[in-house]
């Protein structure tokens, strides 16, 4: 599954190698940004489910979704910076609304981990993290729109580049988007499975050591415990 | 005609704090109008139990029913009928006693004249308009008691109510928070003889678990002493 | 609900009047910041987008000071317990605290905006005063709601003073952006120009969206 996702992303990109290096970055940068944006909003929705059902698994899913989205966000900032350098000669430009809004979103979500870590009680940690995820998830589209409005005079719409270009551009873009989505889902599943396994291992170890206190949970951490 | 529901009914109640179990497997019943006295060393879970009964803490395990309503979902229904006196007086230091009580009266939708009555009852009418920060601990405790009984609750949860009170003050507040008057009470105490004297049911907690649960008349002070060993 | 909010709000305002902890600090901070800007920018008078930016950045940072202190009294003096024990709708606390923060911001602006006009602003303040008030009200509402949410989130954490600005500043960027874009034509050198309707709409939508979200989820911050 993972290899399939990677193959999709990278195989289609060289299809348009004749358009130059800059275009290839575009096929990674924009889908990554779109998937990350949706990921952040999904993190908010999953957090809302956690608050409604009070089941830890939703907090885990919200946590993982946000985690992977932040990783993608870093990717967006890096690829966007490279693109800016190649296109306009600077490592950072304020004209690109995607880049700017992602900087703000990244700064916001970077607080997710200190927030979680600073609350010791597990229930409260999950609850507060969920509140944050919902607020931040609603914030992401609003922020993007506001920043886009602010810079709308200076930067050409990404949308026009895909819809008005030759069919191969659109196709490659859509394929890349699909690949990026698959990558996102795969990373999420991978992280969730890894956390599940860690928790089961820990529980088994505790039982083996004769610790009958089922309520006890290990140490302090920023990650939700199942 | 079925017997009336007990004022308190706990079954296997538990509450964890971080990675520690503050309360484990607590099962007891208390009939309406009776007094439960809770003994135990510091950290045994007395305050946790009281706060859980006050609907301030959700139970993490088991069932907890207060005044016929299951917690945590039924908390909103019983809140107005519970009077809680914890370690904190729950008074704003920069406001006067009267202002604090008026604030609580508005929150509990209690008639304003009750404020004056409560102040008189605890003997704080004279200093009612001084900021709480300027009052002695005994006076603050008396104001806290006034706050707890302001809305004439059916269930009183008292965490060491007579702390910081001299005998005269303790005698003065006794009618407000003592047994009688049909109120159900849960009182924590470090005084074996005194605590048992005013109670119907005695609970001894140790390490969050029930170490002792018996009618107060059948418990001797030496059994209480063993909890602290 | 209304009586509860009224009781809470009057308690908030009484406490602030007695202790004078938040509002004077916010005012002094604003004025000090204007002085700093004067030296930092090396300008006697500023107009247009620079003026709008300086005004709003200063107000935003002053607001953070207020947000930091919003739930401190409750946290330190057991006030949360007192409220949680009362048979009231818990969302009343959100409404009352946000209203109190809004009032504090207005009080601060009553001094800070004229001070800004005195110290830094080029064009006369009166040229667009009603429009400026409108922008201030809309922006303050957004800051009040989001500030209360962030304060509620941060008060129970161990690193409250760090978490508040880290959360509040990114969340308030759209407010800053929209408010500055609205104020820019009002501070124009050659006479005030009309307010940009689309940016006013952004402020209004932001206020509405976060008010609804805050109303829906604030309860979850209070329970235990």
């Amino acid at each position: 599954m993972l290899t399939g996702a990677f193959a999709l992303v990278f195989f289609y990109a060289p299809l348009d190698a004749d358009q130059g290096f800059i275009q290839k970055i575009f096929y990674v940068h924009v889908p990554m940004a779109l998937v990350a944006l949706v990921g952040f909003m999904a993190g908010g929705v999953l957090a809302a489910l956690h608050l409604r059902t009070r089941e830890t698994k939703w907090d885990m899913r919200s946590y993982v979704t946000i985690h992977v989205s932040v990783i993608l966000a870093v990717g967006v900032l890096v690829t966007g910076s490279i693109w800016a350098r190649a296109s306009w000669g600077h490592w950072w430009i304020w004209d690109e609304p995607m880049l700017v809004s992602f900087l703000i979103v990244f700064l916001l979500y970077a607080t997710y981990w200190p927030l979680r870590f600073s609350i010791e009680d597990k229930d409260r940690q999950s609850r507060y993290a969920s509140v944050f995820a919902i607020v931040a998830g609603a914030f992401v589209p609003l922020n993007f729109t506001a920043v886009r409005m602010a810079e709308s005079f200076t930067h050409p719409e990404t949308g026009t580049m895909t819809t008005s270009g030759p069919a191969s551009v659109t196709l490659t873009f859509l394929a890349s988007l699909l690949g990026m989505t698959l990558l996102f889902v795969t990373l999420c599943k991978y992280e969730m499975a890894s956390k599940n396994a860690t928790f089961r291992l820990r529980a088994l170890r505790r039982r083996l050591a004769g610790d009958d206190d089922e309520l006890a949970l290990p140490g302090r951490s920023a990650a939700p415990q199942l | 005609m079925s017997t009336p529901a007990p004022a308190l009914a706990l079954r296997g109640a538990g509450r964890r704090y971080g990675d520690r179990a503050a309360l484990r497997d607590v099962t007891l019943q208390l009939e309406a109008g009776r007094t439960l006295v809770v003994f135990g060393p510091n950290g045994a879970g007395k305050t946790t139990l009281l706060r859980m009964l006050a609907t301030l803490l959700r139970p993490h395990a088991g069932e907890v029913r207060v005044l016929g309503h299951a917690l945590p979902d039924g908390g909103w229904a019983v809140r107005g009928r519970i009077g809680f006196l914890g370690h904190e007086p729950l008074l704003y230091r920069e406001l006067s006693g009267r202002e604090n009580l008026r604030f609580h009266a508005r929150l509990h939708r209690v008639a304003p004249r009750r404020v004056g009555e409560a102040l008189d009852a605890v003997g704080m009418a004279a200093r009612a308009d001084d900021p709480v920060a300027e009052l002695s601990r005994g006076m603050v405790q008396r104001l806290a008691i006034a706050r707890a009984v302001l809305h004439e609750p059916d269930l009183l949860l008292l965490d060491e109510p007579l702390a910081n009170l001299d005998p005269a003050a303790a005698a003065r507040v006794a009618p407000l928070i003592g047994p009688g008057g049909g109120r159900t009470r849960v009182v924590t105490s470090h005084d074996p003889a005194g605590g048992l004297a005013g109670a119907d049911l005695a609970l001894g907690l140790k390490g969050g678990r029930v170490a002792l649960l018996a009618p107060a008349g059948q418990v001797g002070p030496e059994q209480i002493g063993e909890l602290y060993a | 609900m209304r009586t509860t909010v009224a009781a809470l709000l009057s308690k908030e305002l009484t406490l602030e009047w007695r202790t004078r902890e938040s509002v004077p600090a916010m005012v002094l901070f604003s004025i000090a910041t204007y002085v700093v800007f004067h030296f930092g920018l090396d300008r006697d008078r500023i107009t247009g987008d620079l003026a709008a930016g300086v005004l709003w950045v200063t107000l935003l940072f002053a607001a953070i000071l207020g947000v930091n202190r919003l739930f401190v009294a409750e946290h330190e003096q057991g006030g949360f317990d007192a409220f949680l024990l009362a048979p009231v709708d818990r969302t009343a606390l959100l409404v009352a605290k946000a209203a109190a923060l809004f009032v504090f911001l207005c009080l601060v602006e009553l001094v800070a905006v004229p001070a800004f006009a005195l110290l830094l602003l080029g064009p006369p303040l009166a040229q667009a005063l009603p429009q400026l008030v409108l922008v201030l009200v809309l922006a303050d509402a957004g800051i009040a709601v989001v500030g209360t949410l962030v304060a509620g989130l941060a008060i129970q954490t161990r690193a409250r003073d760090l978490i508040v600005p880290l959360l509040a500043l990114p969340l308030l960027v759209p407010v800053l952006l929209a408010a500055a874009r609205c104020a820019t034509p009002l501070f124009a050198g050659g006479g005030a120009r009309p307010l940009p309707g689309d940016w006013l709409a952004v402020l209004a939508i932001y206020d509405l969206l976060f008010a609804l979200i805050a109303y829906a989820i604030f309860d979850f911050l209070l329970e235990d």
Side-chain angles (χ1 to χ4, degrees):
Chain A
M1 192 71 195
L2 189 60
T3 23
F6 272 122
L8 264 172
V9 172
F10 291 113
F11 178 65
Y12 277 98
L15 271 181
D16 281 283
D18 61 323
Q19 300 225 0
F21 180 64
I22 302 153
Q23 277 308 97
K24 274 206 240 148
I25 294 283
F26 165 82
Y27 291 124
V28 175
H29 172 76
V30 179
M32 204 183 265
L34 290 175
V35 171
L37 282 178
V38 172
F40 283 128
M41 292 193 281
V45 171
L46 293 168
L49 278 169
H50 165 71
L51 288 181
R52 179 178 272 267
T53 66
R54 303 207 182 261
E55 288 168 34
T56 324
K57 68 177 187 192
W58 291 113
D59 181 42
M60 173 62 79
R61 287 179 190 162
S62 174
Y63 175 89
V64 167
T65 311
I66 290 175
H67 192 194
V68 177
S69 297
V70 169
I71 295 172
L72 288 191
V74 173
V76 169
L77 289 173
V78 168
T79 53
S81 182
I82 296 172
W83 188 11
R85 173 74 176 164
S87 305
W88 287 280
H90 298 287
W91 286 111
W92 182 264
I93 44 165
W94 289 101
D95 296 351
E96 168 59 57
M98 193 84 90
L99 209 53
V100 172
S101 82
F102 260 87
L103 181 64
I104 298 163
V105 164
F106 173 75
L107 286 173
L108 177 65
Y109 276 94
T111 323
Y112 187 65
W113 281 269
L115 177 69
R116 289 198 78 120
F117 191 74
S118 66
I119 304 172
E120 284 185 9
D121 179 38
K122 287 297 161 192
D123 274 350
R124 183 177 273 168
Q125 186 192 100
S126 298
R127 238 182 321 122
Y128 277 41
S130 297
V131 169
F132 172 88
I134 293 171
V135 173
F139 169 81
V140 165
L142 186 62
N143 177 61
F144 182 71
T145 317
V147 173
R148 182 87 131 358
M149 272 175 69
E151 310 293 347
S152 60
F153 307 112
T154 48
H155 185 74
E157 299 263 338
T158 321
T160 54
M161 281 168 83
T162 49
T163 52
S164 63
S168 61
V169 175
T170 318
L171 185 65
T172 317
F173 180 78
L174 286 174
S176 185
L177 187 61
L178 179 65
M180 195 60 68
T181 312
L182 289 172
L183 178 66
F184 181 87
V185 171
T186 312
L187 283 174
C188 283
K189 279 195 160 23
Y190 181 71
E191 185 169 349
M192 279 200 268
S194 149
K195 285 209 155 34
N196 264 315
T198 314
F199 178 75
R200 281 215 194 94
L201 190 64
R202 227 182 258 146
L204 280 171
R205 253 199 220 123
R206 273 207 319 272
R207 218 163 287 162
L208 216 61
D211 184 359
D212 63 347
D213 194 351
E214 293 137 29
L215 291 174
L217 295 162
R220 275 183 81 194
S221 86
Q225 308 283 347
L226 285 164
Chain B
M1 178 95 171
S2 57
T3 49
L8 295 180
L10 282 79
R11 197 156 55 156
R15 168 86 192 179
R16 93 184 110 72
Y17 183 75
D19 57 357
R20 187 174 58 84
L23 272 186
R24 273 195 80 108
D25 203 18
V26 176
T27 301
L28 63 89
Q29 266 193 4
L30 185 69
E31 304 303 317
R34 304 264 189 243
T35 295
L36 168 70
V37 63
V38 184
F39 295 103
N42 292 334
K46 307 192 296 295
T47 304
T48 307
L49 176 66
L50 242 64
R51 289 179 69 84
M52 196 155 73
L53 294 174
T55 76
L56 291 172
L57 297 177
R58 313 174 70 125
H60 285 152
E63 282 175 24
V64 177
R65 296 187 76 90
V66 173
L67 297 174
H69 293 263
L71 298 186
D73 297 323
W76 62 273
V78 294
R79 238 169 254 143
R81 298 162 62 193
I82 298 175
F84 177 77
L85 181 67
H87 290 303
E88 302 287 328
L90 306 186
L91 301 168
Y92 289 98
R93 284 197 292 269
E94 286 83 16
L95 297 181
S96 73
R98 195 186 304 277
E99 283 168 334
N100 268 293
L101 288 183
R102 273 213 201 108
F103 173 63
H104 279 89
R106 284 173 87 178
L107 284 186
H108 284 269
R109 299 195 220 303
V110 160
R113 61 171 170 74
R114 275 286 302 154
V115 172
E117 288 171 13
L119 284 169
D120 284 330
V122 298
M124 282 298 297
R127 299 290 302 272
D129 296 303
D130 295 338
V132 168
E134 290 175 12
L135 301 176
S136 72
R137 287 170 73 171
M139 292 180 186
V140 172
Q141 184 75 358
R142 282 192 269 162
L143 279 177
I145 290 173
R147 177 199 51 73
V149 302
L150 192 66
H151 52 292
E152 291 166 308
D154 297 323
L155 171 65
L156 276 179
L157 302 169
L158 309 169
D159 207 341
E160 294 181 55
L162 302 180
N164 301 313
L165 291 183
D166 59 45
R172 187 155 190 154
V173 302
L176 293 172
I177 58 173
R183 285 182 301 248
T184 312
R185 310 186 314 141
V186 179
V187 187
T188 67
S189 176
H190 279 304
D191 169 23
L196 287 169
D200 301 296
L201 187 64
L203 169 68
L205 287 175
K206 190 160 184 171
R209 293 177 198 256
V210 176
L212 165 73
L213 180 65
Q218 296 168 16
V219 175
E222 63 290 342
Q223 284 170 277
I224 305 300
E226 279 166 28
L227 288 171
Y228 293 80
Chain C
M1 172 80 157
R2 242 187 324 211
T3 40
T4 314
V5 172
L8 285 168
L9 186 57
S10 76
K11 183 262 303 175
E12 276 309 301
L13 298 176
T14 312
L15 268 177
E16 177 58 27
W17 176 249
R18 289 276 166 83
T19 61
R20 284 179 261 266
E21 268 181 351
S22 294
V23 175
M26 289 159 77
V27 168
L28 287 172
F29 174 82
S30 302
I31 297 176
T33 309
Y34 297 143
V35 175
V36 167
F37 267 117
H38 164 72
F39 287 111
L41 296 172
D42 196 15
R43 303 269 274 269
D44 280 345
R45 293 285 148 194
I46 52 178
T47 61
D49 54 356
L50 186 59
V54 167
L55 176 67
W56 277 111
V57 168
T58 307
L59 287 177
L60 197 64
F61 283 122
I64 299 283
L65 288 183
V67 169
N68 255 319
R69 309 211 66 96
L70 198 59
F71 283 105
V72 165
E74 267 70 32
H75 185 64
E76 288 174 357
Q77 301 179 39
F80 278 126
D81 279 356
F83 177 73
L84 293 173
L85 289 168
V88 293
D89 187 345
R90 290 175 166 181
T91 318
L93 189 63
L94 166 74
V95 177
K97 286 283 181 179
L101 185 54
F102 182 81
V103 169
F104 296 161
L105 287 171
C106 290
L107 289 174
V108 169
E109 281 153 11
L110 270 176
V111 179
V113 173
F116 176 69
L118 204 68
L119 292 171
L120 283 175
L121 188 60
L125 191 61
Q127 77 180 12
L129 196 56
Q131 294 97 310
L132 184 61
V133 169
L134 176 64
V135 175
L136 284 169
V137 164
L138 281 177
D140 284 351
I143 297 173
V145 167
V146 171
T148 306
L149 257 183
V150 171
L153 261 175
I155 193 69
Q156 302 278 10
T157 70
R158 288 147 60 102
R160 183 185 77 228
D161 293 322
L162 287 178
I163 299 260
V164 163
L166 283 179
L167 283 183
L169 285 174
L171 283 174
L172 290 171
V173 160
V175 175
L176 173 66
L177 188 53
R181 293 297 161 112
C182 284
T184 299
L186 301 179
F187 294 149
R193 293 200 293 274
L195 280 176
D198 50 354
W199 286 110
L200 273 181
V202 169
L203 274 179
I205 292 171
Y206 181 96
D207 291 351
L208 198 62
L209 178 69
F210 281 102
L212 288 173
I213 291 177
Y215 199 85
I217 62 176
F218 190 74
D219 278 13
F220 290 103
L221 291 178
L222 289 178
E223 41 166 82
D224 209 349

